[in-house]
Amino acid sequence: MKLSKSYYLVIITFILAVYYIFVGVYLNKLGYSNYESLFYIEKGKIISHGLGNKLRVMGLTSPLLPFYGSYLFSFFNPILAPVLASAVGTALLFYIMASSMVKRNKDNFYLFLLVILFTLHPGLIYTACSGKSIYMVLIFFFLFFLNMLRFYNSNTTYHISIASIFFVMLVFSDYKCIWLALFFIPLVLSIAIHSLNLSEKESVFRLHLSFNNPSLRRKLVNKTFSIYSIIFILPIASIAIYKVLNLTHADDLNYFLESPYATWNIIADKFEYSLTSVASRYAIPEISVLVSLKAIVFCPMIILAIYLFKQNTYQILTLLTPFGLIEFLKVKYDGVNLVYEYYLLFLILALLCIIFRVRFIRNQRALKLGLAIVVAVQLYIGFIFLSKSYIPEENNFANVLLHRTSNKIGEQNREMSDYINTLPESDKILVDDAIAYPVACYVKDISKLTMPYQASYLSAIEAPEKYNGYVLIANESNPMLGYTQLTDFYLDGIRRKNPKLNIYKIYVTDYWTLYRMID
């Protein structure tokens, strides 16, 4: 009995998932970690084993979908949950893309290229094995643009409605992607202009006629608004409802964006900005105008993708929207460099275009040769981008993968958490998990920690000797020192308030000191 291609795709996907899990677990054992995955581990442990009101943690941790994607795997292994989620998620991304390719093209060469990319491309290995949420962003980004291209082919609102749902999921995977909506305005206007029943073929003349005729102008406005509403009214409404939820439970509309207790990237971005200000390697920072050029260098395949749609205005405008997004993000968040994730969007978009259009090219031999060369070049460039990245976490991933050397910060966090695990279960430790979540995530019994989500935290921080036997303090050398209240200055204030209080150093690392307080 001959097996179908779908069956083989399932087997390849399973092998890829096992491969990713093996590499991810191996890197984890070598000591690789990143702020995002550690944040998800700690919040997952709070939900499963924490004490106190956990509603805010459950509903307002951001980004929401990647957090729960990681949390689902915490039932297998809490520490490896983010790695398992990213490995399985990236394998799922391959299956979605490969299924779309097999439906549209029977040539196995293109499927082979896809397998090569997902097996060897450093960016996709980073996506699968780092434990970050990049995999989820890429999945929903692919599905959103897939349905937009389907809409252009069929001109039915079903696909545009499905695209809207995937855009909502994309925003709840990475809130910065909401700005993508800005760059669809000219695209939607172009679609509305071409939908009008006019004799003129050129867009400029159609636009001129539409604006100078009251009836046509009204139709143009109505169509533009209706199409834009179908795509973006659901995402905007979802964000509005979620902000009301934040206001109700946290008294702040933007709690999920601005609180270090709700999202990992607030302090991580500030930390990177401080490094950018002092490190000599950042003497020549990314320049906004050159970001798009950098994206093309990273993914030269995108040029071929645009060429494949050279006679399709809608599709070309659609392919240009991610360029607008990264330029906007570079201007809006000029203090930090764009992370690897945003360059991977162009790789996924280029592959989507190849899936859609490659079967219409007559000279398949030249196309295959060109694609093979481009893929080989992209594998090399992807490695260079990762190993020479200005983002510490990306550079550290390459170092651990190639040289099996982990960073010092991760070692310090594990050392402190290992000591905390030796303390009796009855002992309580005051911890500010705004910066101490990399320590808290490795604590086996998280119920022994008193943290800001608990109602008793404010009372404990005023009189720690009555509520907690221990306090975890950030040392002067801790790179996150400026983002927490629990520092040496806090201890000085406690000593002045209660001179009879005995405070002893129990355990010291370069970045952390654990104190015991006895009244």
Side-chain angles (χ1 to χ4, degrees):
M1 180 179 179
K2 188 176 180 180
L3 299 177
S4 65
K5 273 193 175 181
S6 298
Y7 181 81
Y8 286 113
L9 283 184
V10 172
I11 295 176
I12 296 172
T13 302
F14 177 77
I15 294 173
L16 270 179
V18 173
Y19 162 64
Y20 291 148
I21 291 173
F22 174 79
V23 175
V25 172
Y26 175 69
L27 295 177
N28 185 271
K29 298 299 181 183
L30 289 177
Y32 173 76
S33 61
N34 58 74
Y35 292 114
E36 183 176 5
S37 61
L38 297 181
F39 185 82
Y40 294 153
I41 293 170
E42 189 243 2
K43 297 305 179 186
K45 284 191 171 185
I46 288 175
I47 292 177
S48 298
H49 306 292
L51 302 176
N53 186 0
K54 297 175 281 189
L55 185 62
R56 184 183 297 182
V57 177
M58 295 172 65
L60 305 185
T61 298
S62 178
L64 190 64
L65 294 182
F67 167 57
Y68 276 103
S70 172
Y71 180 68
L72 289 176
F73 289 89
S74 66
F75 297 101
F76 299 99
N77 189 315
I79 300 299
L80 296 176
V83 174
L84 297 176
S86 63
V88 174
T90 308
L92 178 62
L93 172 63
F94 165 80
Y95 181 79
I96 294 171
M97 296 181 71
S99 297
S100 299
M101 181 174 286
V102 168
K103 289 177 183 177
R104 292 171 173 81
N105 198 315
K106 304 302 180 183
D107 195 331
N108 291 331
F109 174 81
Y110 300 104
L111 179 61
F112 175 73
L113 282 185
L114 192 65
V115 173
I116 291 295
L117 279 170
F118 271 83
T119 305
L120 300 178
H121 195 287
L124 293 173
I125 294 175
Y126 175 65
T127 299
C129 305
S130 63
K132 296 176 73 69
S133 62
I134 303 173
Y135 74 95
M136 193 168 286
V137 175
L138 297 183
I139 287 174
F140 295 130
F141 180 84
F142 175 82
L143 292 173
F144 171 66
F145 277 88
L146 173 65
N147 282 278
M148 289 300 297
L149 294 181
R150 284 176 174 173
F151 167 71
Y152 301 145
N153 289 341
S154 64
N155 202 28
T156 57
T157 56
Y158 168 77
H159 293 300
I160 207 169
S161 300
I162 297 300
S164 177
I165 295 174
F166 286 126
F167 189 72
V168 173
M169 296 180 177
L170 177 62
V171 171
F172 278 92
S173 299
D174 183 356
Y175 184 78
K176 291 179 181 177
C177 290
I178 189 69
W179 301 112
L180 195 62
L182 291 176
F183 303 98
F184 270 87
I185 294 176
L187 173 62
V188 171
L189 180 62
S190 175
I191 295 172
I193 290 172
H194 282 271
S195 66
L196 296 176
N197 187 18
L198 297 174
S199 58
E200 290 287 349
K201 300 299 181 183
E202 293 294 330
S203 300
V204 175
F205 295 113
R206 294 172 72 92
L207 183 62
H208 175 76
L209 289 174
S210 301
F211 274 104
N212 285 279
N213 185 300
S215 177
L216 291 176
R217 185 168 61 244
R218 185 169 56 254
K219 289 182 179 179
L220 177 63
V221 171
N222 290 339
K223 287 196 172 186
T224 302
F225 179 76
S226 61
I227 295 174
Y228 201 80
S229 298
I230 292 173
I231 302 175
F232 297 113
I233 195 66
L234 182 59
I236 293 172
S238 301
I239 291 296
I241 293 171
Y242 193 59
K243 286 199 171 191
V244 171
L245 185 67
N246 279 258
L247 182 64
T248 303
H249 294 281
D251 299 321
D252 184 359
L253 282 171
N254 294 321
Y255 174 81
F256 72 107
L257 294 174
E258 300 174 353
S259 173
Y261 302 110
T263 182
W264 64 275
N265 54 20
I266 296 298
I267 292 180
D269 285 349
K270 289 180 179 178
F271 176 49
E272 185 198 330
Y273 179 76
S274 65
L275 289 179
T276 305
S277 302
V278 299
S280 60
R281 67 185 299 181
Y282 293 93
I284 305 177
E286 286 180 337
I287 302 173
S288 175
V289 180
L290 299 181
V291 170
S292 293
L293 180 60
K294 187 177 178 181
I296 294 173
V297 172
F298 174 81
C299 183
M301 195 187 294
I302 194 68
I303 299 176
L304 174 62
I306 294 174
Y307 174 78
L308 292 176
F309 285 107
K310 61 182 182 296
Q311 295 179 342
N312 303 90
T313 305
Y314 303 159
Q315 286 84 342
I316 290 178
L317 287 174
T318 303
L319 298 180
L320 293 178
T321 53
F323 287 99
L325 174 65
I326 62 172
E327 292 290 352
F328 178 85
L329 292 179
K330 187 56 194 171
V331 172
K332 183 173 177 60
Y333 306 98
D334 60 338
V336 295
N337 293 291
L338 286 180
V339 294
Y340 206 94
E341 166 191 324
Y342 296 108
Y343 297 107
L344 283 172
L345 296 180
F346 293 92
L347 175 61
I348 299 302
L349 192 60
L351 291 172
L352 172 60
C353 295
I354 289 171
I355 290 171
F356 252 80
R357 295 292 298 179
V358 75
R359 67 184 187 274
F360 298 113
I361 304 301
R362 293 181 180 179
N363 193 347
Q364 287 287 317
R365 180 175 296 181
L367 178 63
K368 290 178 180 179
L369 179 61
L371 275 176
I373 295 173
V374 169
V375 167
V377 171
Q378 288 195 180
L379 293 179
Y380 175 73
I381 294 176
F383 168 74
I384 296 299
F385 266 62
L386 191 62
S387 61
K388 304 296 182 183
S389 174
Y390 290 161
I391 311 297
E393 290 182 347
E394 296 171 1
N395 187 265
N396 182 42
F397 180 86
N399 288 333
V400 176
L401 185 64
L402 297 176
H403 309 298
R404 294 183 294 180
T405 56
S406 60
N407 63 346
K408 184 178 180 181
I409 296 177
E411 295 174 357
Q412 296 289 321
N413 295 330
R414 285 177 180 267
E415 182 181 346
M416 179 55 72
S417 61
D418 287 342
Y419 180 79
I420 292 175
N421 288 329
T422 65
L423 298 176
E425 293 183 5
S426 58
D427 289 343
K428 298 295 181 181
I429 306 164
L430 183 64
V431 173
D432 182 6
D433 66 340
I435 69 165
Y437 64 84
V439 174
C441 70
Y442 292 118
V443 175
K444 294 179 180 178
D445 183 11
I446 204 166
S447 63
K448 67 169 61 173
L449 305 181
T450 301
M451 292 186 285
Y453 79 92
Q454 296 170 301
S456 60
Y457 180 79
L458 292 178
S459 300
I461 208 168
E462 290 292 330
E465 71 279 3
K466 296 181 180 178
Y467 289 86
N468 301 274
Y470 301 85
V471 177
L472 184 63
I473 297 295
N475 294 342
E476 292 290 335
S477 58
N478 193 311
M480 301 295 189
L481 179 67
Y483 309 115
T484 180
Q485 183 180 353
L486 298 183
T487 64
D488 289 332
F489 292 105
Y490 166 76
L491 287 182
D492 292 340
I494 294 297
R495 288 190 181 100
R496 286 194 299 269
K497 186 177 180 180
N498 188 356
K500 296 181 180 180
L501 183 65
N502 296 312
I503 302 178
Y504 302 99
K505 287 184 179 179
I506 300 299
Y507 195 79
V508 181
T509 68
D510 291 345
Y511 295 154
W512 304 99
T513 300
L514 185 65
Y515 287 89
R516 184 170 188 179
M517 297 188 174
I518 302 176
D519 193 0

